[in-house]
Amino acid sequence: MTSIDQSSPQTGGNNLPKFGPRLLQHFDFHPDYRNLNHGSFGTAPRDVRKRMRYYQDLSEAAPDKAIRYDFPKFIDESREAVAKILNAPTDTVVFVANATTGVNTILRNMTWNDDGKDVILYFRTIYGACGKTIDYVVDSGLEKVSSHEIDVKYPCEDSEVVSAFKAALKTCADEGKRAKICVFDTVSSLPGVRFPFEEMVKACKEASIISLVDGAQGVGMIDLNLSGLDPDFFISNCHKWLHVPRGCAVLYVPFRNQHLITSTLPTSHGYVPKSKQRNNPLPQSTKPVFVNNFEFTGTVDNTPYLCVKDAIKWREENLGGEARIKEYVNSLAKDGGKKVASILGTEVLDNKAGTMSNCAMTNVALPLSAEEASAASEWITQKLLQEYKTFLPLYMNEGRPWVRISAQVYLDIHDFEWAGQTLLELCTRVKKGEYLGKQAGSY
C-alpha cells in the first residue's frame, strides 16, 4: 500500500500526505511503541487534543461561563457535525461517555411488562460489559424480564446470523415468552468482524422487535446512514475510529423513541419528574427535552464531546475526509490480514462471501493448539508489551486461538509484516516451552 502513487484516488492527491508511518508525526505514541490495537481504546491526534486542553482551560478561566453557557453551544456544534456524517437529524444525536454507557442508558430506561414474559435477545459475541449489563437488568428486574443468548459459530454467512435470530424468536414464543429488544453489533469486538447489522435491523422491524445497535466499532470505520438504516437505538464510540479524545460516544435515538429515554445515566438536572416540580439551576433552554436531558449530567470533564467537530475537521483537512480514510483502513486490514496469515501459515477469519472482513480489523489464526494458547496467553501478552512494545488481543474461537489486529492511518503493510514475524517468533518460543519457565513480571 505504501507504493500507491500520491495522486491516486486512494491517497487523495491535492498534496495530502500518504497514509502510513509518516502520519505518526501527528500522534504522541512512544517512539518504541507500535499501536496495532487501535480497536480497543483509539487515539487522538495531537492537534485535536490541544483543542481539548483549550476547552479545559476555558472552564478553568471562568467555570460558570464556560460550563453553563459556552459548552452547550460547542456541544451543539459537535452534534451537528457528527449528525452530518451519520446522515441523521441533529436533534436525534447526543453524547455519552462511551458505548457501554449508551447501552446501559437504553436498557435501564426500558419498561418491562408485569407478566414476566419480556426477553432481551443478544448474540454470543456481545461485548462483555454489555452482556453483563443485560445480566444486571435481568437480575434486578424483579423477574419481569429474562434474556436469551443467540449462538452463532464463526465464520458464518450473514444469512445464518439472521436465521439464528429468527430461530430465537420462535424459541421464545414456544416457551410462552415475548422477545422485546435485540442487542447486536455493527462490528463485533472479539472476533473483530463486521456484523450484518443492516439485515438485523430489517429483521427486527419485521418482527416488531426493538433494535439496539451497539456500534462501538462504527463511526469513522464503516459507512453509516442512520436515516436509511432507521434503527430504534444506536450507539457508537467517537474515541475509537473518529480520532476523538477518550471518552466520547454518540447516542442516536430517533424522534419516535425519545419519549422512552426519560433519564440519563446518572439522572441529572435535565430529567423531568412526573410527580413534582423541581428547580433546574441551569440556563433555560428551548431545545427538545431529549437533547436538554443529555447536555449536562453532572460535573465531569465532557470536553471530549466538544472535540468531535474538531476531529472531523482535522480528518477532512489532514487525511482527506471520511471516505478516503475508510477506504484505506479497510483495505489495509484485508491485505494486512492476508500477509500475517501467510507468515504464520494459517488463515484469516472470514466467510465465503467475504463480508465479515469488511471492516478495519482482521483476525488471524495462531499456529498453536488450544492447550498451548490457553496456557501461554498471559505470557504472550506480557512478552508483547515488555519485549516487542505492542499489544494484540488474543482470544479463542471455536476451540482455536486467534489474534485481532487493527488497521489505522498511521500504519501500513510493513507493520502487519512485522506483526506476523513477531507472532511467529512468539509462537515458536511457546512451542519450545519457554512460557513454562520463570513468569514474566508486570509491564
Side-chain angles (χ1 to χ4, degrees), residues 11-289:
T11 53
N14 299 324
N15 297 318
L16 286 170
K18 289 182 180 179
F19 293 118
R22 69 183 65 196
L23 289 181
L24 288 171
Q25 64 183 306
H26 295 290
F27 299 87
D28 284 323
F29 296 119
H30 189 282
D32 296 335
Y33 192 79
R34 198 181 300 236
N35 193 43
L36 300 175
N37 186 34
H38 190 98
S40 280
F41 303 116
T43 194
R46 188 179 305 108
D47 287 347
V48 177
R49 286 169 47 244
K50 284 181 179 178
R51 289 296 295 173
M52 181 176 70
R53 287 192 289 272
Y54 164 76
Y55 299 128
Q56 291 171 333
D57 289 344
L58 287 181
S59 69
E60 296 305 317
D64 282 285
K65 178 180 183 298
I67 296 172
R68 293 176 186 270
Y69 294 95
D70 296 335
F71 282 16
K73 297 175 184 177
F74 293 141
I75 290 176
D76 285 346
E77 292 172 358
S78 282
R79 289 195 304 111
E80 183 177 1
V82 76
K84 183 177 180 181
I85 65 173
L86 291 173
N87 190 29
T90 299
D91 284 343
T92 61
V93 299
V94 292
F95 296 115
V96 293
N98 47 58
T100 303
T101 301
V103 170
N104 270 264
T105 301
I106 301 305
L107 290 180
R108 294 182 190 224
N109 273 278
M110 289 287 104
T111 56
W112 313 107
N113 197 292
D114 290 334
D115 63 13
K117 295 182 179 181
D118 286 339
V119 179
I120 303 171
L121 297 178
Y122 66 95
F123 287 83
R124 178 177 62 84
T125 50
I126 190 172
Y127 181 62
C130 295
K132 288 188 175 181
T133 300
I134 293 174
D135 295 340
Y136 170 80
V137 170
V138 171
D139 292 344
S140 61
L142 302 177
E143 300 184 349
K144 288 185 177 182
V145 60
S146 58
S147 64
H148 180 94
E149 181 179 275
I150 304 172
D151 189 25
V152 284
K153 291 179 171 55
Y154 285 172
C156 61
E157 300 304 317
D158 294 347
S159 59
E160 295 179 69
V161 173
V162 178
S163 294
F165 165 72
K166 292 180 178 179
L169 294 180
K170 184 177 185 304
T171 297
C172 289
D174 290 345
E175 294 176 350
K177 297 284 189 175
R178 176 180 50 247
K180 179 167 183 175
I181 185 170
C182 185
V183 183
F184 52 91
D185 302 313
T186 51
V187 176
S188 59
S189 178
L190 293 174
V193 296
R194 197 179 194 280
F195 197 84
F197 63 95
E198 297 99 335
E199 292 88 340
M200 275 300 304
V201 169
K202 181 179 179 180
C204 285
K205 286 182 183 298
E206 292 174 348
S208 298
I209 305 297
I210 297 172
S211 56
L212 170 47
V213 185
D214 178 4
Q217 312 272 0
V219 63
M221 185 217 278
I222 60 175
D223 290 331
L224 294 167
N225 177 358
L226 296 188
S227 290
L229 182 65
D230 194 31
D232 289 305
F233 301 103
F234 177 90
I235 305 103
S236 189
N237 284 323
C238 299
H239 60 252
K240 286 186 184 282
W241 298 92
L242 201 61
H243 293 127
V244 174
R246 309 175 198 97
C248 174
V250 56
L251 170 61
Y252 164 84
V253 180
F255 294 116
R256 67 177 182 275
N257 290 333
Q258 290 183 1
H259 69 284
L260 300 174
I261 308 304
T262 58
S263 176
T264 55
L265 190 68
T267 302
S268 192
H269 293 302
Y271 178 70
V272 180
K274 295 180 180 179
S275 57
K276 60 179 66 179
Q277 292 287 332
R278 290 189 186 276
N279 178 53
N280 185 340
L282 299 175
Q284 291 187 351
S285 174
T286 58
K287 298 174 187 176
V289 172

Side-chain angles (χ1 to χ4, degrees), residues 102 167 171 180 287 322 343 401 408 427:
T171 297
K180 179 167 183 175
K287 298 174 187 176
E322 300 305 309
I343 293 170
Q408 207 15 268
C427 290

